[in-house]
Amino acid sequence: MPENETDETTPAHRVCGTMPVHRRLLTEDPSYAVARDAVENRAFAFEQGLRTPARVGVTVIPVVVHVVHHTSEQDIGDAQILSQIDVLNQDYRMLNADVSQVPTVWQPLVADCRIEFRLASQDPDGAPTGGITRTRTATDTFGMDDAIKFTSGGGQDAWPADQYLNFWVAPRLEDPSVGEILGYAQFPGGPTATDGVVIAHTFVGTTGTARAPFHLGRTATHEVGHWLNLFHIWGDDGQGCSGSDFVADTPNAGGPNFGTPAFPHVTCNNAPDGDMFVNYMDYTDDVGMFMFTQGQAARMDATLEGPRSSFLTL
Ligand SMILES: [Zn+2]
């Protein structure tokens, strides 16, 4: 980071815009609500063990990274993007070195999600590509209204969502209701033109403009988790104990955990082990999250055999 770079800030703790976008789509688009019911019914059946995954081996997801930049510095380099792909491939295969820091009691739950990510090698027309698009924009801060996902909105149109994970890199993300956010995703079942994840460039990858404490690529691990239909681990009900992520092997938790908590952090009668704040779907800093559970992996299986099954046959 250049020392003269002072016009950008870093949020004090993780903030993700996925749930506000989810609620907006439920309001705007009746077909989304219908699709979500089917997605959740399938996820429930897989997570409960009522359906067994047919998927074998590792599923490879082609990724197109759309770098939308207002300044030259925001036009992040290939190395930063590749460092992000590397992190995804470690975290979704349980190959991340810090998985050894998972508290002993949860180590049996850690899942190899059997998903890998590759920058796309073919564009939608079948021509060779590096899997990265670069778009100069007049917009310095995008919101959660999905403008960045349209060339007409100052961003870049999506590539076909049944063939690519669209990954938009934003100059900056801010919403009047929640302030600056690191990123957001669209759950399965939504409009194809806006399907994918959006992350501000300062929270992408492990090098270049990536900024502590969100400089280890875990924002993308978290957002892609949403894209594969994972909810936040505390159940998105504020600090209450009634919300659920619909995964039985993640402890019921009050609210999000921030920073790098000390084990255990007990809420919602979940003593002695407390909240699973080391999970990628909590709100801790990048250095403090290092696992998905078997139950979360089952929900991802349901997604890859349901709303995102097109990726099994590419
Ligand atoms: Zn989130």
Side-chain angles (χ1 to χ4, degrees), residues 16-18 222-223 226 232 281 283:
C16 156
T18 298
H222 176 107
E223 297 303 337
H226 288 310
H232 291 137
M281 301 314 290
Y283 263 7

Side-chain angles (χ1 to χ4, degrees), residues 269-281:
N269 299 312
N270 61 16
D273 304 325
D275 297 355
M276 189 187 276
F277 54 75
V278 295
N279 194 284
Y280 296 123
M281 301 314 290

Side-chain angles (χ1 to χ4, degrees), residues 59-64 66 117 120 122-125 149-150 156-168 185-197 224 227-228 303-304 306-314:
T59 300
V60 178
I61 307 284
V63 182
V64 56
H66 304 295
F117 302 84
Q122 277 199 331
D123 75 8
D125 297 323
K149 300 175 180 176
F150 296 93
Q156 167 64 44
D157 289 344
W159 288 13
D162 60 345
Q163 300 169 48
Y164 304 94
L165 163 57
N166 284 277
F167 185 138
W168 286 272
Q186 182 172 298
F187 288 117
T192 56
T194 52
D195 199 2
V197 303
V224 172
W227 182 80
L228 289 163
T303 300
L304 287 174
R308 302 208 184 283
S309 61
S310 58
F311 289 101
L312 298 181
T313 52
L314 289 180

Side-chain angles (χ1 to χ4, degrees), residues 98-110 249 251 263-264 272-278 290-291 293:
D98 52 6
V99 73
S100 62
Q101 297 178 47
V102 172
T104 307
V105 63
W106 294 322
Q107 284 176 5
L109 300 178
V110 181
D249 65 5
F263 176 86
D273 304 325
D275 297 355
M276 189 187 276
F277 54 75
V278 295
F290 18 76
M291 70 176 288
T293 68

